[in-house]
C-alpha cells in the first residue's frame, strides 16, 4: 500500500473542482464579451441607418435647390446622375488595386504577353517595358531562357 494513497482521491477531486470553476469563468467572460459586441453592432447599425437618412435628405436638398432654376424633372435627373457618379467613385475606391496598375490606366492586365499584345494593337511600346533577363545564368521565375542560334558542338565517343 502506498503511503499517500488517500491523498490521490483529494487531488483528483481538487483538479475536477478547479476545472469546473475555470469553465464557468470562461463561459461568463464569453457571455459578457458577446453582450458588448451585440451592443456595439446595434449602435453601428443605427449609425448606418441614420447616415442613410442623412444622405437622402442631402440628395433631396440638392434636388430642391436645382428645381428653383430648372424644371423638376431636370433637377431630379441631375441629382440622380450626381448620386450615380458618387456611387461609382466610391465603388472604385473600395476595390483592391491590381499592383498599382489597372484598366483605368489603359494597361492590359494578364502578364507580359497581354501587355505586348495590347501595345502592338495600338502600335506602341509595352508599358512598362519588359525587363531583360538577369545575367549570371539564372532567369527570373516564369521566364524561358533564350534559345542558342546553333546546336552546341558535342564530341562523340567511338563505340
Amino acid at each position: 500500500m502506498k503511503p499517500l494513497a488517500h491523498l490521490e482521491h483529494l487531488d483528483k477531486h481538487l483538479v475536477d473542482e478547479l476545472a469546473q470553476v475555470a469553465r464557468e469563468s470562461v463561459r461568463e467572460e464569453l457571455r459578457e464579451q458577446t453582450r458588448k459586441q451585440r451592443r456595439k453592432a446595434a449602435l453601428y447599425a443605427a449609425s448606418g441607418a441614420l447616415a442613410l437618412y442623412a444622405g437622402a435628405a442631402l440628395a433631396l436638398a440638392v434636388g430642391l435647390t436645382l428645381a428653383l432654376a430648372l424644371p423638376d424633372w431636370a433637377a431630379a435627373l441631375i441629382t440622380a446622375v450626381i448620386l450615380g457618379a458618387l456611387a461609382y467613385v466610391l465603388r472604385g475606391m473600395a476595390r483592391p488595386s491590381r499592383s498599382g496598375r489597372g484598366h483605368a490606366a489603359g494597361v492590359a492586365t494578364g502578364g507580359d504577353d497581354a501587355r505586348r499584345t495590347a501595345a502592338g494593337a495600338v502600335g506602341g511600346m509595352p508599358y512598362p517595358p519588359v525587363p531583360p533577363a538577369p545575367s549570371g545564368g539564372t532567369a527570373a521565375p516564369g521566364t524561358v531562357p533564350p534559345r542558342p542560334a546553333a546546336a552546341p558542338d558535342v564530341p562523340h565517343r567511338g563505340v
Side-chain angles (χ1 to χ4, degrees):
M1 183 170 181
K2 293 182 190 175
L4 301 176
H6 65 284
L7 294 179
E8 210 171 278
H9 175 68
L10 290 176
D11 288 345
K12 183 174 179 355
H13 181 69
L14 182 62
V15 167
D16 290 343
E17 196 172 316
L18 285 174
Q20 180 67 23
V21 168
R23 279 193 291 268
E24 288 175 6
S25 65
V26 167
R27 281 188 196 127
E28 186 59 35
E29 182 65 28
L30 287 175
R31 277 191 209 110
E32 184 65 27
Q33 286 179 1
T34 303
R35 198 173 302 123
K36 287 178 183 178
Q37 288 174 350
R38 282 185 187 149
R39 183 174 184 274
K40 192 182 290 189
L43 290 173
Y44 273 118
S47 170
L50 289 176
L52 180 67
Y53 285 119
L58 179 65
L60 180 64
V62 168
L64 290 175
T65 303
L66 288 172
L68 294 175
L70 298 170
D72 292 343
W73 65 269
L77 185 64
I78 290 171
T79 304
V81 168
I82 290 171
L83 289 174
L86 286 173
Y88 183 79
V89 167
L90 289 175
R91 187 191 78 175
M93 290 171 60
R95 282 189 168 177
S97 65
R98 296 184 181 169
S99 69
R101 298 184 307 263
H103 297 290
V107 177
T109 58
D112 292 339
D113 292 336
R115 280 195 287 276
R116 284 189 196 105
T117 304
V122 295
M125 291 294 293
Y127 180 78
V130 180
S135 60
T138 59
T143 60
V144 179
R147 184 176 218 171
D153 191 24
V154 179
H156 295 284
R157 293 186 185 180
V159 179

